[in-house]
């Protein structure tokens, strides 16, 4: 759901009624964050605390949002964390959803302190600046990168997935299942099948005595603005129980691995296979991730409808491009691994996900899967930024909020 543009005209025409304690809560979070919220709601940059609070209330009313939903979907986790620590005197650890719930629980209490009694915070409008408008790129294709026209849209943040990428050799037999891995799933969509007869099946739905390699990616995700880069490890640790994910992909029986100007075929089920063999691989992930949608149900399992992925090696890293569809819409993802070698069987992978609208040019590229190759080209073009410790520029340049 997108947040509609809210201005003085709209707020004066419709004054929503919120619980008095929630009103005081909105006043308290608006204090010191006036410019950030003004940009987020596209209202006058010189708006007062009262103006900003009125706009937030109108936004809640217009979009039928609770205070928790407003905070979780449209406020940066950095601002929420600071508010928890400095104003509420509570822990600032957790994802935006967790922090929003923590704040909302305080606001709904009738005894919540009036803003005049809340600890004052010095204005600091750079702590989570809304992405600035970018000048349109001029090129033969006339493709322009749009500004974050609606920076309050839930699609504005990136969803940074971070975890362990590892190769798993799985051997299936008629008597045992998944004998070489600790992971077991009763309905694994990427179980191994016999290369000779992919339709053959046992009681478990796969051929007996078949061996293959699987690629597993597991960890947790945290949302954040592209211009702030990958969130700190502490956030991932704090959010792991509410935002974990576990994805798997079955590899082909053989993979073609590039060695300079030549390529060799390797057995995907070989115990000595390295992640380097994924260079040039395309496939799809299956699995689930946890998501708290702010509806009071807590973190629940969600699965993508489709999740296609392609890999290419540049230097000592593997770069990933992915795209797919979900119940929330289409998405595109780009990312990279930690340094790998010829014998590396596992590495850390950061894969940032950007949800896009149907009007975005990339929406058509998701349907045709053409984004995979274009995404890898983009990674190659900007990969030097990682070596120059310009990680934030890598994300803003490769995954803009919108493209027309």
């Amino acid at each position: 759901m997108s947040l509609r543009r809210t201005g003085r005209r709209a707020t004066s025409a419709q004054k929503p009624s919120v619980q008095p304690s929630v009103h005081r809560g909105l006043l308290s979070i608006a204090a010191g964050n006036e410019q950030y919220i003004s940009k987020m709601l596209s209202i006058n940059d010189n708006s007062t605390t009262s103006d900003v609070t009125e706009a937030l209330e109108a936004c809640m009313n217009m979009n039928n949002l609770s205070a928790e939903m407003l905070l979780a979907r449209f406020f940066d986790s950095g601002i929420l964390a600071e508010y928890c620590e400095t104003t509420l005197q509570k822990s600032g650890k957790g994802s935006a959803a967790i922090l929003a719930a923590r704040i909302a629980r305080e606001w709904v209490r009738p005894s919540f302190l009036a803003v005049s009694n809340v600890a004052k915070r010095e204005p600091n409008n750079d702590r989570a600046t809304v992405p600035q408008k970018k000048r349109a790129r001029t090129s033969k294709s006339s493709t322009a990168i749009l500004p974050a026209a609606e920076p309050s849209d839930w699609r504005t943040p990136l969803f940074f997935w971070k975890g362990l990428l590892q190769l798993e050799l799985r051997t299936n037999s008629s008597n045992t299942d998944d004998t070489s891995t600790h992971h077991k799933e009763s309905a694994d969509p990427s179980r191994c099948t016999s290369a000779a007869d992919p339709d053959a099946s046992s009681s478990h739905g796969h051929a007996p005595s078949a061996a293959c390699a699987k690629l597993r990616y597991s960890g947790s995700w945290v949302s954040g603005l592209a211009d702030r880069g990958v969130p700190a490890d502490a956030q991932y640790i704090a959010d792991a129980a509410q935002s974990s994910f576990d994805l798997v992909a079955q590899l082909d029986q053989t993979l073609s691995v590039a060695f300079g100007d030549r390529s060799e075929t390797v057995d995907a089920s070989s115990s000595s296979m390295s992640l380097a063999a994924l260079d040039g691989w395309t496939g799809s992930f299956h699995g689930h991730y946890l998501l708290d949608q702010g509806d009071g149900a807590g973190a629940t399992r969600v699965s993508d409808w489709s999740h296609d992925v392609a890999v290419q090696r540049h230097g000592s890293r593997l770069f990933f491009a992915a795209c797919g569809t979900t119940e929330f819409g289409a998405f595109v993802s780009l990312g990279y691994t930690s340094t790998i070698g010829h014998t590396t069987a596992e590495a850390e992978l950061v894969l940032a996900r950007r949800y896009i609208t149907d009007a975005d040019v990339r929406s058509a590229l998701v349907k045709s899967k053409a984004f995979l190759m274009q995404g890898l080209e983009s990674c190659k073009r900007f990969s030097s930024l990682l070596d120059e410790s310009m990680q934030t520029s890598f994300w803003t340049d490769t995954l803009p909020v919108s493209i027309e």
Side-chain angles (χ1 to χ4, degrees), residues 256-328:
S256 180
V257 185
F259 294 94
D261 58 353
R262 63 185 179 86
S263 62
E264 292 183 5
T265 298
V266 299
D267 183 357
S269 63
S270 170
S271 59
S272 62
M273 194 182 81
S274 164
L275 285 175
L278 294 177
D279 184 15
W281 173 76
T282 59
S284 58
F285 275 130
H286 302 273
H288 71 271
Y289 49 97
L290 295 182
L291 176 66
D292 187 337
Q293 301 189 57
D295 56 3
T300 57
R301 281 194 175 196
V302 177
S303 295
D304 297 326
W305 292 347
S306 65
H307 191 163
D308 299 300
V309 61
V311 185
Q312 199 169 76
R313 183 175 182 176
H314 298 300
S316 59
R317 300 178 187 268
L318 289 177
F319 286 85
F320 279 65
C323 62
T325 55
T326 73
E327 60 187 282
F328 315 107

Side-chain angles (χ1 to χ4, degrees), residues 118-131:
V118 173
K120 296 294 183 181
R121 289 170 285 115
E122 291 296 322
N124 181 0
N125 296 301
D126 293 327
R127 56 179 156 234
T129 305
V130 174

